Amino acid sequence: MRSNIAPIKNFTSDVGIKTNFTIINLETVRKIYNLLAREKSDPETTAIIEKIRFLNDSIIWYPKGVRFRFYARMRLQTVARKLKDEYKLAIRVGYSWRTLAAIIKWFWSLTEYYTTTGLNLYTIATTFCDEITLYGFYPFHSDSQGRDIQYHYYEDIPYKYENNVHDFPAEFDHLQKLEKIGALKLVTGKCNNK
């Protein structure tokens, strides 16, 4: 399971290759929709198509609900049609009619903020997976050794973890508690090669 069409191709030694379910947020839906409106030869369009092609028959899912989001639904339907018809990609695009946000917030006892795509992905993973290992769920700018950490493994963009949209530290606290009871494995350092 992956999120937001993050690149895999040049990072397989770190992130692996297997993918069969990818969750996307509204920002990613908008980005893909806008890129697919460009010429096929546009470099950014070509790049997103190659990222999606690498997902190889995966399900791309938007969990936020489209019942009251006409434009999100329209964009998702357009993206699905273009990926299949114009680009001949073996990809499935799904979405929820009703948002899962309220259920997920209730489940995690969160009263403020929106849950992150990562927490939504973990919550969904609990319904499919017997074992869950999370990598990249660390809401701090440096690790326990004082080394700088990028926001995403594939790009270094500035990000403020304490903001009025997501409560990364509270979500991380929940994940640490789940790790203590054996519900998941949280990797916050280097992965061990097996």
Side-chain angles (χ1 to χ4, degrees):
M1 298 179 96
R2 301 185 186 272
S3 66
N4 289 327
I5 320 291
I8 300 167
K9 190 173 184 179
N10 296 324
F11 300 94
T12 56
S13 63
D14 295 314
V15 301
I17 194 167
K18 186 176 180 181
T19 301
N20 42 29
F21 189 90
T22 300
I23 192 171
I24 56 175
N25 62 19
L26 187 57
E27 180 182 338
T28 302
V29 172
R30 285 185 191 128
K31 180 179 180 178
I32 295 170
Y33 177 82
N34 290 334
L35 288 173
L36 292 180
R38 296 181 183 180
E39 294 292 324
K40 285 186 174 184
S41 60
D42 178 82
E44 289 182 75
T45 302
T46 302
I48 197 72
I49 291 300
E50 287 309 307
K51 285 181 189 178
I52 295 170
R53 186 181 316 281
F54 208 76
L55 297 178
N56 195 23
D57 197 30
S58 185
I59 297 169
I60 298 175
W61 187 53
Y62 177 73
K64 297 286 183 158
V66 296
R67 181 176 174 199
F68 299 112
R69 295 179 179 191
F70 171 77
Y71 290 107
R73 183 173 72 238
M74 184 267 310
R75 286 177 176 154
L76 281 163
Q77 291 169 340
T78 301
V79 164
R81 189 175 53 256
K82 284 189 172 203
L83 291 176
K84 290 177 181 183
D85 297 346
E86 293 181 27
Y87 292 92
K88 308 297 184 213
L89 296 180
I91 208 79
R92 294 166 282 170
V93 177
Y95 53 86
S96 299
W97 181 246
R98 298 185 70 189
T99 185
L100 297 179
I103 295 167
I104 291 173
K105 281 177 74 169
W106 169 81
F107 180 78
W108 292 104
S109 301
L110 298 172
T111 55
E112 298 178 32
Y113 305 99
Y114 293 100
T115 54
T116 63
T117 302
L119 188 62
N120 293 337
L121 180 63
Y122 170 75
T123 306
I124 299 306
T126 63
T127 67
F128 295 111
C129 306
D130 293 328
E131 293 180 25
I132 300 173
T133 301
L134 299 178
Y135 182 80
F137 289 71
Y138 191 70
F140 306 106
H141 295 287
S142 57
D143 67 11
S144 59
Q145 313 298 303
R147 296 176 292 220
D148 289 342
I149 300 173
Q150 295 181 180
Y151 178 58
H152 292 131
Y153 67 85
Y154 55 92
E155 65 182 351
D156 192 9
I157 59 173
Y159 197 80
K160 185 178 177 184
Y161 291 106
E162 294 80 25
N163 61 59
N164 61 357
V165 177
H166 299 303
D167 191 346
F168 287 92
E171 288 187 11
F172 186 67
D173 185 53
H174 281 293
L175 296 173
Q176 286 181 307
K177 289 174 184 170
L178 287 168
E179 184 177 41
K180 286 181 182 172
I181 63 169
L184 62 89
K185 181 178 179 191
L186 197 56
V187 179
T188 58
K190 282 192 165 198
C191 293
N192 296 324
N193 292 334
K194 293 181 181 179

